[in-house]
Amino acid sequence: MILSILILSFVTLQRLAELLWARRNTRALLARGAYEVAPEHYPHIVAVHAAWLFGLWIVAWNAPVNLLWLAAFGVLQGLRIWVLVALGPRWTTRILVVPGEKLVRSGPYRYLSHPNYAVVAGEIAALPLAFGQPLFALVFTVVNGVVLYTRIKAENRALSQ
């Protein structure tokens, strides 16, 4: 039980810190002339992620932890950091385009167009599985996939301009 609470606390604090960093980066990018693309989908992304985390607190706060799935989640955290470092001050939770800026092609972006979304998809499945919640993992993987489909289409349009 204590391990579950520690893991959920870590993920909650991590996500809150990332939101603060994203907000700071968003303000800085907008000040440099960036514009937002497809903001209408953003509340859906926020809702999915908030529901996922809130739901995990409800179903998993006292669950036993599968260390193999927890290790997989840990590997995904390393990949998450790689993505964040590669994007640096350009990382945000919104789709922002800075006119004249080149696309990031370093780090994981050498191998995938959207590595952050691959990491998030893995996390949305792996953490519930670490708590023995396969149905929860399946439901949120599908819901996240639907939201990501819309987001990736919008981001690809924005990045191709």
Side-chain angles (χ1 to χ4, degrees):
M1 174 168 72
I2 292 173
L3 182 57
S4 298
I5 290 172
L6 287 173
I7 294 164
L8 290 170
S9 296
F10 167 78
V11 174
T12 301
L13 292 173
Q14 176 192 46
R15 296 307 199 258
L16 290 173
E18 287 176 0
L19 285 174
L20 291 173
W21 189 36
R23 181 180 289 169
R24 183 186 59 126
N25 288 349
T26 296
R27 280 194 292 251
L29 290 168
L30 291 172
R32 288 182 33 219
Y35 60 91
E36 187 172 2
V37 175
E40 63 280 352
H41 81 280
Y42 188 70
H44 302 287
I45 291 212
V46 171
V48 168
H49 287 263
W52 175 78
L53 190 54
F54 183 72
L56 283 173
W57 272 104
I58 291 170
V59 302
W61 69 273
N62 63 347
V65 177
N66 178 309
L67 295 180
L68 185 60
W69 280 112
L70 183 60
F73 185 77
V75 168
L76 290 164
Q77 296 316 287
L79 295 173
R80 170 183 280 281
I81 291 167
W82 193 24
V83 167
L84 295 176
V85 168
L87 289 177
R90 292 171 69 176
W91 183 84
T92 182
T93 55
R94 298 180 177 271
I95 301 173
L96 297 177
V97 175
V98 181
E101 291 262 334
K102 292 184 178 182
L103 293 177
V104 172
R105 297 278 186 216
S106 61
Y109 291 88
R110 285 180 291 198
Y111 309 107
L112 289 173
S113 299
H114 302 285
N116 190 57
Y117 304 141
V119 168
V120 169
E123 290 173 331
I124 282 180
L127 193 56
L129 290 171
F131 295 124
Q133 298 290 329
L135 183 59
F136 189 100
L138 177 64
V139 168
F140 275 93
T141 296
V142 170
V143 171
N144 182 59
V146 170
V147 173
L148 276 183
Y149 176 77
T150 301
R151 177 159 177 125
I152 289 171
K153 275 182 27 181
E155 192 166 314
N156 284 341
R157 276 195 309 271
L159 295 175
S160 69
Q161 295 175 359

